[in-house]
Amino acid sequence: MSTTTKMKKVNGTVLIERFTVGRRIEHIFVIAVFVMLVLTGFPQKFFDVSWSSRIIDFFGGVDRTRLIHRIFGLTFSVHALVHIGIIIVGVLSSRMRLSLLPTSADFRDLFATLRYYLGYQSDKPTYPKFDYRQKFEYLGIVLGGVVMVLTGLILLYPGWFAGFVPGQVIPASRVMHSNEALLAFLVLTIWHVYGSHFSPEVFPMDKTIFTGYIDEHELKERHQREYERLFPEKTGTTPEA
Amino acid sequence: MWSAKTIIAIALITSPLWISFKAGAQTNADCLACHGEKGQSVRFSDKSTRSVYVDRNHIKQSVHAAQLECTDCHRDITPSTHPSEKAKNPKYKDARDFSIQQANTCQRCHYAYYTRMLDSIHFETMKAGERSAPVCTDCHGSHDIKKPGTPRKEINERCGQCHSDIAKTFGKSVHGELLAAGSDDAPVCTDCHGAHSIIDPRKPGFKASSHQLCAKCHGDEKKMATYGLNTAVLSSYLDDFHGSSNLLFTKTTQASKSAIATCVDCHGTHDIQRFRGGETLSKDQMRERIVKTCRKCHEKVPAAFADAWLSHYPPTFKSAPLVWGVKWLYRIMIPLIMLGLVSHIILHLWRIKTGKFWRHL
């Protein structure tokens, strides 16, 4: 997200930084919090199936499971606030560009990709720093996260919220919290795991988010427009904004 | 192995023993010759006495009439051991002591019921030294044992002999009135508390699972149709946070630290009345009544908190548009998104792995 891009040369290959150290730590942190929230939350959502009681007993009972869920939920909420805060400050001080914000180009990319998959277009589509699949995921976790934080807080303090929102918001939040969690879980286990593990382009694993660096060949292959932006002299193109 | 000869020899040698034992057994007529007449009494070691008169009709009408002889239960009575009023060392302290020890005899035939009773709060109380805690005969009777629950309301009368306050309260409840009217649908004490293995209802597990007791009847469509009552009470309760929490508590090992509302917290236990009170309440009056119930646990919540309770009917566009809307939003959104993502994945895989185009198929 930084406007200047760090690069280093290892064994003759140029590595381009994609995620700063902070972002890499953030990703590991989100994995841990998400796993804990799913483990303590899903047994509550699927309260009538047999494995839920076994997981709850593992955590030491319903009260303890809920306490853990709330601690991790609040941790996630604080993190979400900090994350969004950093973006706001970064953009306002113009030290950050919103490379993950969907633009009209992303919709064109989506349709171009589908046309290419179906054979109505012979050129392989090119993508910017983050392609539309990655942007969808990021936006999903940010917007989904905001939904989870808000509805979670309403469920944690229903009596206080009833002071200024209609009472019906409380059961609606419960339905929303539970369904949004399921959606997030499904998107993560299917879309994210495919995109970063099972997709033939990255199989068995795309390590960029952990190492922070992508090599120039992969960048050229998968994010050609970013490659052109970073190396205008090699591609002979004028850089994109 | 023993040969047939040995067995016959042993039988012959011991025959005087068992023949005399049989001869010593008394028939009911023998016993009633004296006990059927009033006037005789027995003295206990604390000097108290008790009449030993037995009403012949009680014996005749008892369920045991055809099966049991007096001595089947009064096993220690033989002509040589029969106690007399003048006995120097009476075996029992008092009449209650006799009843408590005599109740042990029932287990010889009714073993399953007896062992269940050992888990009950009544037996625990007895063990703790409370001699008035009931034994078999206190609920079932002794010489006049009848088939239990004939008529059903007699069960409540039995419990009411000790639990008189509760029996009185129950009598005024919707269930009590129905029972008094002679309905077979109305619950009696034992329907909720059990008969032999009555557990302490103050134990947290009893409360957490109590919704299952109510649901036995209130989830029964056939039974509820008679009274025009809603059978979605259990499913709607379980859809609610309270219900799913309590169900989890019944299925896991740790008990709840804080009481979570179950049927009885809003509707009452022995004093259950119609929630609407029989009259038609305005929406605001209903809300006031609901929030008053909420405040029993959720102190100082605003009146709007009442609307968080969606009633025992599933939310509809009219009754709870927001909840209904959110429910349907996800019901449509989740499958659509997943369908889109999965088809994208399949197209991608297929495109790279086969190198073919859909268009050229």
Side-chain angles (χ1 to χ4, degrees), chain A residues 57 63 119 132 168 174 180, chain B residues 239 253 257 322 330 344 359:
Chain A
D57 274 335
D63 284 331
Y132 67 90
Q168 217 193 104
R174 189 163 175 265
E180 185 65 38
Chain B
D239 269 344
T253 46
K257 268 182 242 144
L322 194 61
Y330 281 99
H344 193 291
R359 194 163 59 97

Side-chain angles (χ1 to χ4, degrees), chain B residues 4 9 14 17 54 87 107 127 156 189 247 249 257 312-313 347:
Chain B
T14 57
L17 272 173
V54 175
Q107 62 164 306
K127 253 191 332 199
N156 281 20
C189 308
L247 191 70
F249 277 117
K257 268 182 242 144
H312 277 300
Y313 294 90
L347 273 177

Side-chain angles (χ1 to χ4, degrees), chain B residues 285-318:
Chain B
Q285 283 170 311
M286 241 345 241
R287 249 176 132 210
E288 197 48 49
R289 188 166 283 197
I290 289 169
V291 83
K292 233 163 122 190
T293 314
C294 303
R295 282 180 188 143
K296 281 194 220 167
C297 299
H298 304 272
E299 289 164 28
K300 293 177 194 160
V301 287
F305 198 66
D307 301 328
W309 169 240
L310 299 175
S311 86
H312 277 300
Y313 294 90
T316 60
F317 176 64
K318 251 182 113 179

